[in-house]
Amino acid sequence: MQDHGSSSLRRRLQIVELARKSDAVKVEALSTLLGVSRVTIRGDLNYLEQQGYVLRMMGRARYNPALLHAVPAPQETPTRLCGPGPSRVAGAALRWIADGMALFLGGGALVHRLLPQLVVRQGLTLTLHDLAMVATARQFLACGVHVTGGVLSDEEPGLIGPAAEQGLRSHPLDLCVLEVSGIDSRGRVLSRFAGAARLYAAAVSHCAKAISLSHGSDVGAASGHPVCSLDALDAFVVPHDAPPGVLELLARHRLQSGRKADGFLEFRKA
């Protein structure tokens, strides 16, 4: 597979891998997950069909069955599979995820971007409370999927409440990945939604490790509902162009810059 644009190549490799592990991939879903227009996705699928990697159908594509017993489609390392911007921030979580792990993934656009990148991991078990993410995981990933249960609120995007918290605790979890809206003056990580904040607090206390993802521009915001102290996190990931005050803010709470690559900064527990 050859292409002059490295970002197009990475995206097309990811589409091939998603198609290989799914019955079919939808143009609309790929557009949302990979952060590009439907026109771009259709162009990618046209190219991949010409190269023999996929077969086109109405609004979707599937992996060419003739390749199932042939040489596998080329793969790149996890960090190179990540697209630009938010996908790279989401992809930073991959280095914390090993084959066979049990994960809780919170809601939000950044964490949703992580889902298609999990095709490079085997034997995962996911616990989810965002129903849109449940649908995506079941379409694209060959892994176990548990839904927390709980109630749907008109004010929040995911399942919440005591039943959701009980459902989360019903399975051993190695890692939780959470999207946060900011950090308050007391060094507490915040969520925009009260119910999600309580669920995420339960996840942090139940999981062996916890990491948070942020868009960067809002990391210093103090509005939201507290989830946990920064001290309870193993890592905090922001875009590489996050505001200058972010480094100082996180350093004050014993998180040190541990990695700067591929468009993101990762702060790890000191």
PDB file of all heavy atoms in Angstrom, residues 11 14-15 18 25-45 59-60 87 109 112-113 116 136 139-140:
ATOM      1  N   ARG A  11      -4.082   6.530   8.266  1.00  0.00           N
ATOM      2  CA  ARG A  11      -5.529   6.392   8.362  1.00  0.00           C
ATOM      3  C   ARG A  11      -6.010   5.180   7.573  1.00  0.00           C
ATOM      4  O   ARG A  11      -6.867   4.422   8.025  1.00  0.00           O
ATOM      5  CB  ARG A  11      -6.183   7.678   7.850  1.00  0.00           C
ATOM      6  CG  ARG A  11      -7.700   7.713   8.048  1.00  0.00           C
ATOM      7  CD  ARG A  11      -8.302   9.039   7.597  1.00  0.00           C
ATOM      8  NE  ARG A  11      -8.075   9.290   6.176  1.00  0.00           N
ATOM      9  CZ  ARG A  11      -7.240  10.220   5.689  1.00  0.00           C
ATOM     10  NH1 ARG A  11      -6.554  10.996   6.503  1.00  0.00           N
ATOM     11  NH2 ARG A  11      -7.093  10.385   4.382  1.00  0.00           N
ATOM     12  N   GLN A  14      -5.316   2.008   9.300  1.00  0.00           N
ATOM     13  CA  GLN A  14      -6.249   1.807  10.398  1.00  0.00           C
ATOM     14  C   GLN A  14      -7.603   1.323   9.878  1.00  0.00           C
ATOM     15  O   GLN A  14      -8.235   0.434  10.481  1.00  0.00           O
ATOM     16  CB  GLN A  14      -6.424   3.116  11.179  1.00  0.00           C
ATOM     17  CG  GLN A  14      -7.071   2.929  12.528  1.00  0.00           C
ATOM     18  CD  GLN A  14      -6.915   4.160  13.401  1.00  0.00           C
ATOM     19  OE1 GLN A  14      -6.269   5.122  13.032  1.00  0.00           O
ATOM     20  NE2 GLN A  14      -7.534   4.133  14.551  1.00  0.00           N
ATOM     21  N   ILE A  15      -8.057   1.867   8.764  1.00  0.00           N
ATOM     22  CA  ILE A  15      -9.318   1.426   8.167  1.00  0.00           C
ATOM     23  C   ILE A  15      -9.248  -0.046   7.782  1.00  0.00           C
ATOM     24  O   ILE A  15     -10.175  -0.820   8.026  1.00  0.00           O
ATOM     25  CB  ILE A  15      -9.673   2.301   6.942  1.00  0.00           C
ATOM     26  CG1 ILE A  15     -10.043   3.719   7.390  1.00  0.00           C
ATOM     27  CG2 ILE A  15     -10.829   1.686   6.158  1.00  0.00           C
ATOM     28  CD1 ILE A  15     -10.200   4.701   6.245  1.00  0.00           C
ATOM     29  N   LEU A  18      -9.462  -2.107  10.932  1.00  0.00           N
ATOM     30  CA  LEU A  18     -10.831  -2.101  11.455  1.00  0.00           C
ATOM     31  C   LEU A  18     -11.736  -2.995  10.614  1.00  0.00           C
ATOM     32  O   LEU A  18     -12.554  -3.751  11.152  1.00  0.00           O
ATOM     33  CB  LEU A  18     -11.368  -0.668  11.469  1.00  0.00           C
ATOM     34  CG  LEU A  18     -10.765   0.269  12.513  1.00  0.00           C
ATOM     35  CD1 LEU A  18     -11.181   1.708  12.242  1.00  0.00           C
ATOM     36  CD2 LEU A  18     -11.177  -0.138  13.919  1.00  0.00           C
ATOM     37  N   VAL A  25     -17.553  -1.936   7.979  1.00  0.00           N
ATOM     38  CA  VAL A  25     -17.319  -0.631   8.598  1.00  0.00           C
ATOM     39  C   VAL A  25     -18.135   0.412   7.845  1.00  0.00           C
ATOM     40  O   VAL A  25     -18.162   0.427   6.614  1.00  0.00           O
ATOM     41  CB  VAL A  25     -15.824  -0.256   8.599  1.00  0.00           C
ATOM     42  CG1 VAL A  25     -15.064  -1.124   9.569  1.00  0.00           C
ATOM     43  CG2 VAL A  25     -15.205  -0.371   7.211  1.00  0.00           C
ATOM     44  N   LYS A  26     -18.812   1.281   8.578  1.00  0.00           N
ATOM     45  CA  LYS A  26     -19.665   2.291   7.985  1.00  0.00           C
ATOM     46  C   LYS A  26     -18.887   3.588   7.762  1.00  0.00           C
ATOM     47  O   LYS A  26     -18.043   3.964   8.580  1.00  0.00           O
ATOM     48  CB  LYS A  26     -20.865   2.564   8.888  1.00  0.00           C
ATOM     49  CG  LYS A  26     -21.791   1.366   9.064  1.00  0.00           C
ATOM     50  CD  LYS A  26     -22.965   1.721   9.958  1.00  0.00           C
ATOM     51  CE  LYS A  26     -23.896   0.531  10.148  1.00  0.00           C
ATOM     52  NZ  LYS A  26     -25.033   0.866  11.052  1.00  0.00           N
ATOM     53  N   VAL A  27     -19.200   4.260   6.656  1.00  0.00           N
ATOM     54  CA  VAL A  27     -18.543   5.525   6.337  1.00  0.00           C
ATOM     55  C   VAL A  27     -18.761   6.527   7.463  1.00  0.00           C
ATOM     56  O   VAL A  27     -17.816   7.206   7.906  1.00  0.00           O
ATOM     57  CB  VAL A  27     -19.081   6.089   5.001  1.00  0.00           C
ATOM     58  CG1 VAL A  27     -18.597   7.524   4.781  1.00  0.00           C
ATOM     59  CG2 VAL A  27     -18.652   5.204   3.840  1.00  0.00           C
ATOM     60  N   GLU A  28     -19.984   6.635   7.943  1.00  0.00           N
ATOM     61  CA  GLU A  28     -20.295   7.607   8.989  1.00  0.00           C
ATOM     62  C   GLU A  28     -19.507   7.325  10.258  1.00  0.00           C
ATOM     63  O   GLU A  28     -18.957   8.235  10.897  1.00  0.00           O
ATOM     64  CB  GLU A  28     -21.797   7.592   9.283  1.00  0.00           C
ATOM     65  CG  GLU A  28     -22.230   8.624  10.305  1.00  0.00           C
ATOM     66  CD  GLU A  28     -23.734   8.623  10.517  1.00  0.00           C
ATOM     67  OE1 GLU A  28     -24.426   7.817   9.860  1.00  0.00           O
ATOM     68  OE2 GLU A  28     -24.206   9.426  11.327  1.00  0.00           O
ATOM     69  N   ALA A  29     -19.433   6.052  10.645  1.00  0.00           N
ATOM     70  CA  ALA A  29     -18.701   5.688  11.864  1.00  0.00           C
ATOM     71  C   ALA A  29     -17.208   5.961  11.707  1.00  0.00           C
ATOM     72  O   ALA A  29     -16.564   6.476  12.627  1.00  0.00           O
ATOM     73  CB  ALA A  29     -18.928   4.216  12.190  1.00  0.00           C
ATOM     74  N   LEU A  30     -16.641   5.636  10.562  1.00  0.00           N
ATOM     75  CA  LEU A  30     -15.222   5.897  10.328  1.00  0.00           C
ATOM     76  C   LEU A  30     -14.930   7.381  10.345  1.00  0.00           C
ATOM     77  O   LEU A  30     -13.894   7.822  10.875  1.00  0.00           O
ATOM     78  CB  LEU A  30     -14.792   5.300   8.986  1.00  0.00           C
ATOM     79  CG  LEU A  30     -14.733   3.771   8.905  1.00  0.00           C
ATOM     80  CD1 LEU A  30     -14.517   3.327   7.461  1.00  0.00           C
ATOM     81  CD2 LEU A  30     -13.636   3.223   9.806  1.00  0.00           C
ATOM     82  N   SER A  31     -15.817   8.186   9.785  1.00  0.00           N
ATOM     83  CA  SER A  31     -15.640   9.634   9.782  1.00  0.00           C
ATOM     84  C   SER A  31     -15.573  10.177  11.200  1.00  0.00           C
ATOM     85  O   SER A  31     -14.700  10.986  11.529  1.00  0.00           O
ATOM     86  CB  SER A  31     -16.791  10.296   9.006  1.00  0.00           C
ATOM     87  OG  SER A  31     -16.743  11.694   9.117  1.00  0.00           O
ATOM     88  N   THR A  32     -16.479   9.710  12.060  1.00  0.00           N
ATOM     89  CA  THR A  32     -16.508  10.168  13.450  1.00  0.00           C
ATOM     90  C   THR A  32     -15.281   9.709  14.219  1.00  0.00           C
ATOM     91  O   THR A  32     -14.641  10.482  14.932  1.00  0.00           O
ATOM     92  CB  THR A  32     -17.779   9.643  14.147  1.00  0.00           C
ATOM     93  OG1 THR A  32     -18.926  10.139  13.457  1.00  0.00           O
ATOM     94  CG2 THR A  32     -17.832  10.092  15.597  1.00  0.00           C
ATOM     95  N   LEU A  33     -14.923   8.445  14.072  1.00  0.00           N
ATOM     96  CA  LEU A  33     -13.818   7.873  14.835  1.00  0.00           C
ATOM     97  C   LEU A  33     -12.462   8.434  14.427  1.00  0.00           C
ATOM     98  O   LEU A  33     -11.592   8.663  15.269  1.00  0.00           O
ATOM     99  CB  LEU A  33     -13.814   6.350  14.668  1.00  0.00           C
ATOM    100  CG  LEU A  33     -14.950   5.610  15.371  1.00  0.00           C
ATOM    101  CD1 LEU A  33     -15.013   4.180  14.905  1.00  0.00           C
ATOM    102  CD2 LEU A  33     -14.757   5.662  16.876  1.00  0.00           C
ATOM    103  N   LEU A  34     -12.270   8.682  13.128  1.00  0.00           N
ATOM    104  CA  LEU A  34     -10.963   9.102  12.636  1.00  0.00           C
ATOM    105  C   LEU A  34     -10.853  10.608  12.468  1.00  0.00           C
ATOM    106  O   LEU A  34      -9.789  11.123  12.125  1.00  0.00           O
ATOM    107  CB  LEU A  34     -10.650   8.402  11.314  1.00  0.00           C
ATOM    108  CG  LEU A  34     -10.663   6.862  11.390  1.00  0.00           C
ATOM    109  CD1 LEU A  34     -10.387   6.257  10.021  1.00  0.00           C
ATOM    110  CD2 LEU A  34      -9.651   6.361  12.404  1.00  0.00           C
ATOM    111  N   GLY A  35     -11.933  11.331  12.707  1.00  0.00           N
ATOM    112  CA  GLY A  35     -11.881  12.780  12.723  1.00  0.00           C
ATOM    113  C   GLY A  35     -11.686  13.430  11.369  1.00  0.00           C
ATOM    114  O   GLY A  35     -11.070  14.500  11.274  1.00  0.00           O
ATOM    115  N   VAL A  36     -12.186  12.818  10.308  1.00  0.00           N
ATOM    116  CA  VAL A  36     -12.108  13.394   8.964  1.00  0.00           C
ATOM    117  C   VAL A  36     -13.496  13.345   8.339  1.00  0.00           C
ATOM    118  O   VAL A  36     -14.405  12.694   8.852  1.00  0.00           O
ATOM    119  CB  VAL A  36     -11.096  12.649   8.065  1.00  0.00           C
ATOM    120  CG1 VAL A  36      -9.682  12.788   8.618  1.00  0.00           C
ATOM    121  CG2 VAL A  36     -11.460  11.175   7.935  1.00  0.00           C
ATOM    122  N   SER A  37     -13.665  14.028   7.205  1.00  0.00           N
ATOM    123  CA  SER A  37     -14.975  14.110   6.575  1.00  0.00           C
ATOM    124  C   SER A  37     -15.371  12.783   5.929  1.00  0.00           C
ATOM    125  O   SER A  37     -14.527  11.923   5.641  1.00  0.00           O
ATOM    126  CB  SER A  37     -14.982  15.213   5.521  1.00  0.00           C
ATOM    127  OG  SER A  37     -14.190  14.832   4.404  1.00  0.00           O
ATOM    128  N   ARG A  38     -16.647  12.641   5.647  1.00  0.00           N
ATOM    129  CA  ARG A  38     -17.132  11.456   4.951  1.00  0.00           C
ATOM    130  C   ARG A  38     -16.560  11.394   3.530  1.00  0.00           C
ATOM    131  O   ARG A  38     -16.311  10.297   3.019  1.00  0.00           O
ATOM    132  CB  ARG A  38     -18.664  11.477   4.889  1.00  0.00           C
ATOM    133  CG  ARG A  38     -19.330  11.389   6.257  1.00  0.00           C
ATOM    134  CD  ARG A  38     -20.837  11.413   6.122  1.00  0.00           C
ATOM    135  NE  ARG A  38     -21.473  11.574   7.424  1.00  0.00           N
ATOM    136  CZ  ARG A  38     -22.781  11.644   7.615  1.00  0.00           C
ATOM    137  NH1 ARG A  38     -23.589  11.554   6.559  1.00  0.00           N
ATOM    138  NH2 ARG A  38     -23.281  11.806   8.812  1.00  0.00           N
ATOM    139  N   VAL A  39     -16.380  12.574   2.929  1.00  0.00           N
ATOM    140  CA  VAL A  39     -15.780  12.606   1.592  1.00  0.00           C
ATOM    141  C   VAL A  39     -14.384  11.999   1.621  1.00  0.00           C
ATOM    142  O   VAL A  39     -13.994  11.217   0.737  1.00  0.00           O
ATOM    143  CB  VAL A  39     -15.734  14.051   1.058  1.00  0.00           C
ATOM    144  CG1 VAL A  39     -14.939  14.125  -0.247  1.00  0.00           C
ATOM    145  CG2 VAL A  39     -17.144  14.587   0.840  1.00  0.00           C
ATOM    146  N   THR A  40     -13.599  12.358   2.662  1.00  0.00           N
ATOM    147  CA  THR A  40     -12.245  11.807   2.801  1.00  0.00           C
ATOM    148  C   THR A  40     -12.288  10.293   2.986  1.00  0.00           C
ATOM    149  O   THR A  40     -11.508   9.552   2.382  1.00  0.00           O
ATOM    150  CB  THR A  40     -11.526  12.462   3.984  1.00  0.00           C
ATOM    151  OG1 THR A  40     -11.397  13.873   3.728  1.00  0.00           O
ATOM    152  CG2 THR A  40     -10.135  11.868   4.191  1.00  0.00           C
ATOM    153  N   ILE A  41     -13.228   9.828   3.830  1.00  0.00           N
ATOM    154  CA  ILE A  41     -13.355   8.387   4.063  1.00  0.00           C
ATOM    155  C   ILE A  41     -13.733   7.670   2.773  1.00  0.00           C
ATOM    156  O   ILE A  41     -13.185   6.601   2.458  1.00  0.00           O
ATOM    157  CB  ILE A  41     -14.390   8.101   5.160  1.00  0.00           C
ATOM    158  CG1 ILE A  41     -13.887   8.606   6.521  1.00  0.00           C
ATOM    159  CG2 ILE A  41     -14.710   6.607   5.244  1.00  0.00           C
ATOM    160  CD1 ILE A  41     -12.641   7.925   7.032  1.00  0.00           C
ATOM    161  N   ARG A  42     -14.658   8.242   2.014  1.00  0.00           N
ATOM    162  CA  ARG A  42     -15.040   7.603   0.754  1.00  0.00           C
ATOM    163  C   ARG A  42     -13.854   7.524  -0.203  1.00  0.00           C
ATOM    164  O   ARG A  42     -13.678   6.534  -0.913  1.00  0.00           O
ATOM    165  CB  ARG A  42     -16.196   8.373   0.117  1.00  0.00           C
ATOM    166  CG  ARG A  42     -17.523   8.237   0.873  1.00  0.00           C
ATOM    167  CD  ARG A  42     -18.676   8.822   0.085  1.00  0.00           C
ATOM    168  NE  ARG A  42     -19.912   8.780   0.871  1.00  0.00           N
ATOM    169  CZ  ARG A  42     -20.414   9.825   1.525  1.00  0.00           C
ATOM    170  NH1 ARG A  42     -19.798  11.003   1.470  1.00  0.00           N
ATOM    171  NH2 ARG A  42     -21.529   9.704   2.215  1.00  0.00           N
ATOM    172  N   GLY A  43     -13.026   8.565  -0.212  1.00  0.00           N
ATOM    173  CA  GLY A  43     -11.825   8.530  -1.035  1.00  0.00           C
ATOM    174  C   GLY A  43     -10.863   7.448  -0.584  1.00  0.00           C
ATOM    175  O   GLY A  43     -10.259   6.744  -1.410  1.00  0.00           O
ATOM    176  N   ASP A  44     -10.718   7.308   0.734  1.00  0.00           N
ATOM    177  CA  ASP A  44      -9.863   6.249   1.277  1.00  0.00           C
ATOM    178  C   ASP A  44     -10.383   4.870   0.868  1.00  0.00           C
ATOM    179  O   ASP A  44      -9.610   3.986   0.473  1.00  0.00           O
ATOM    180  CB  ASP A  44      -9.799   6.334   2.803  1.00  0.00           C
ATOM    181  CG  ASP A  44      -9.029   7.541   3.302  1.00  0.00           C
ATOM    182  OD1 ASP A  44      -8.189   8.064   2.550  1.00  0.00           O
ATOM    183  OD2 ASP A  44      -9.273   7.949   4.452  1.00  0.00           O
ATOM    184  N   LEU A  45     -11.703   4.683   0.973  1.00  0.00           N
ATOM    185  CA  LEU A  45     -12.277   3.377   0.635  1.00  0.00           C
ATOM    186  C   LEU A  45     -12.161   3.085  -0.856  1.00  0.00           C
ATOM    187  O   LEU A  45     -11.928   1.929  -1.252  1.00  0.00           O
ATOM    188  CB  LEU A  45     -13.738   3.323   1.086  1.00  0.00           C
ATOM    189  CG  LEU A  45     -13.969   3.342   2.607  1.00  0.00           C
ATOM    190  CD1 LEU A  45     -15.448   3.373   2.914  1.00  0.00           C
ATOM    191  CD2 LEU A  45     -13.313   2.152   3.287  1.00  0.00           C
ATOM    192  N   GLY A  59     -22.678   2.636   1.509  1.00  0.00           N
ATOM    193  CA  GLY A  59     -22.386   3.328   2.755  1.00  0.00           C
ATOM    194  C   GLY A  59     -21.440   2.620   3.687  1.00  0.00           C
ATOM    195  O   GLY A  59     -21.239   3.046   4.821  1.00  0.00           O
ATOM    196  N   ARG A  60     -20.812   1.545   3.233  1.00  0.00           N
ATOM    197  CA  ARG A  60     -19.919   0.781   4.110  1.00  0.00           C
ATOM    198  C   ARG A  60     -18.926  -0.013   3.264  1.00  0.00           C
ATOM    199  O   ARG A  60     -18.994  -0.028   2.037  1.00  0.00           O
ATOM    200  CB  ARG A  60     -20.718  -0.144   5.020  1.00  0.00           C
ATOM    201  CG  ARG A  60     -21.510  -1.215   4.278  1.00  0.00           C
ATOM    202  CD  ARG A  60     -22.357  -2.049   5.234  1.00  0.00           C
ATOM    203  NE  ARG A  60     -23.380  -1.241   5.867  1.00  0.00           N
ATOM    204  CZ  ARG A  60     -24.071  -1.610   6.936  1.00  0.00           C
ATOM    205  NH1 ARG A  60     -23.787  -2.772   7.520  1.00  0.00           N
ATOM    206  NH2 ARG A  60     -24.999  -0.846   7.443  1.00  0.00           N
ATOM    207  N   SER A  87      -6.758  12.425  18.321  1.00  0.00           N
ATOM    208  CA  SER A  87      -6.475  10.992  18.211  1.00  0.00           C
ATOM    209  C   SER A  87      -5.112  10.649  18.798  1.00  0.00           C
ATOM    210  O   SER A  87      -4.912   9.559  19.336  1.00  0.00           O
ATOM    211  CB  SER A  87      -6.537  10.555  16.747  1.00  0.00           C
ATOM    212  OG  SER A  87      -7.855  10.611  16.266  1.00  0.00           O
ATOM    213  N   ALA A 109     -15.327  12.580  23.840  1.00  0.00           N
ATOM    214  CA  ALA A 109     -14.803  12.453  22.481  1.00  0.00           C
ATOM    215  C   ALA A 109     -13.389  11.897  22.441  1.00  0.00           C
ATOM    216  O   ALA A 109     -13.038  11.111  21.560  1.00  0.00           O
ATOM    217  CB  ALA A 109     -14.853  13.812  21.782  1.00  0.00           C
ATOM    218  N   HIS A 112     -13.479   8.189  23.205  1.00  0.00           N
ATOM    219  CA  HIS A 112     -14.099   7.519  22.056  1.00  0.00           C
ATOM    220  C   HIS A 112     -13.088   7.338  20.932  1.00  0.00           C
ATOM    221  O   HIS A 112     -13.095   6.318  20.223  1.00  0.00           O
ATOM    222  CB  HIS A 112     -15.301   8.335  21.570  1.00  0.00           C
ATOM    223  CG  HIS A 112     -16.321   7.518  20.856  1.00  0.00           C
ATOM    224  ND1 HIS A 112     -17.658   7.808  20.861  1.00  0.00           N
ATOM    225  CD2 HIS A 112     -16.215   6.397  20.086  1.00  0.00           C
ATOM    226  CE1 HIS A 112     -18.322   6.929  20.149  1.00  0.00           C
ATOM    227  NE2 HIS A 112     -17.467   6.062  19.661  1.00  0.00           N
ATOM    228  N   ARG A 113     -12.174   8.316  20.760  1.00  0.00           N
ATOM    229  CA  ARG A 113     -11.138   8.201  19.729  1.00  0.00           C
ATOM    230  C   ARG A 113     -10.168   7.050  20.008  1.00  0.00           C
ATOM    231  O   ARG A 113      -9.501   6.565  19.097  1.00  0.00           O
ATOM    232  CB  ARG A 113     -10.341   9.506  19.650  1.00  0.00           C
ATOM    233  CG  ARG A 113     -11.110  10.690  19.075  1.00  0.00           C
ATOM    234  CD  ARG A 113     -11.268  10.561  17.578  1.00  0.00           C
ATOM    235  NE  ARG A 113     -11.885  11.748  17.006  1.00  0.00           N
ATOM    236  CZ  ARG A 113     -11.214  12.781  16.524  1.00  0.00           C
ATOM    237  NH1 ARG A 113      -9.892  12.783  16.549  1.00  0.00           N
ATOM    238  NH2 ARG A 113     -11.847  13.814  16.015  1.00  0.00           N
ATOM    239  N   PRO A 116     -11.066   2.797  18.248  1.00  0.00           N
ATOM    240  CA  PRO A 116     -10.571   2.124  17.042  1.00  0.00           C
ATOM    241  C   PRO A 116      -9.091   1.783  17.098  1.00  0.00           C
ATOM    242  O   PRO A 116      -8.627   0.890  16.397  1.00  0.00           O
ATOM    243  CB  PRO A 116     -10.870   3.129  15.918  1.00  0.00           C
ATOM    244  CG  PRO A 116     -10.930   4.446  16.592  1.00  0.00           C
ATOM    245  CD  PRO A 116     -11.525   4.174  17.942  1.00  0.00           C
ATOM    246  N   THR A 136     -19.934   1.225  19.168  1.00  0.00           N
ATOM    247  CA  THR A 136     -18.680   1.288  18.415  1.00  0.00           C
ATOM    248  C   THR A 136     -17.791   0.097  18.737  1.00  0.00           C
ATOM    249  O   THR A 136     -17.222  -0.535  17.839  1.00  0.00           O
ATOM    250  CB  THR A 136     -17.927   2.591  18.734  1.00  0.00           C
ATOM    251  OG1 THR A 136     -18.745   3.701  18.389  1.00  0.00           O
ATOM    252  CG2 THR A 136     -16.618   2.667  17.964  1.00  0.00           C
ATOM    253  N   GLN A 139     -18.974  -3.069  17.145  1.00  0.00           N
ATOM    254  CA  GLN A 139     -18.826  -3.097  15.695  1.00  0.00           C
ATOM    255  C   GLN A 139     -17.383  -3.344  15.280  1.00  0.00           C
ATOM    256  O   GLN A 139     -17.108  -4.097  14.350  1.00  0.00           O
ATOM    257  CB  GLN A 139     -19.308  -1.778  15.078  1.00  0.00           C
ATOM    258  CG  GLN A 139     -19.131  -1.751  13.556  1.00  0.00           C
ATOM    259  CD  GLN A 139     -19.560  -0.436  12.938  1.00  0.00           C
ATOM    260  OE1 GLN A 139     -19.977   0.484  13.625  1.00  0.00           O
ATOM    261  NE2 GLN A 139     -19.440  -0.340  11.627  1.00  0.00           N
ATOM    262  N   PHE A 140     -16.430  -2.702  15.986  1.00  0.00           N
ATOM    263  CA  PHE A 140     -15.056  -2.681  15.502  1.00  0.00           C
ATOM    264  C   PHE A 140     -14.100  -3.630  16.224  1.00  0.00           C
ATOM    265  O   PHE A 140     -13.043  -3.959  15.682  1.00  0.00           O
ATOM    266  CB  PHE A 140     -14.488  -1.264  15.609  1.00  0.00           C
ATOM    267  CG  PHE A 140     -15.073  -0.299  14.610  1.00  0.00           C
ATOM    268  CD1 PHE A 140     -15.839   0.764  15.021  1.00  0.00           C
ATOM    269  CD2 PHE A 140     -14.847  -0.469  13.257  1.00  0.00           C
ATOM    270  CE1 PHE A 140     -16.375   1.653  14.103  1.00  0.00           C
ATOM    271  CE2 PHE A 140     -15.370   0.414  12.331  1.00  0.00           C
ATOM    272  CZ  PHE A 140     -16.142   1.481  12.757  1.00  0.00           C
TER     273      PHE A 140
END
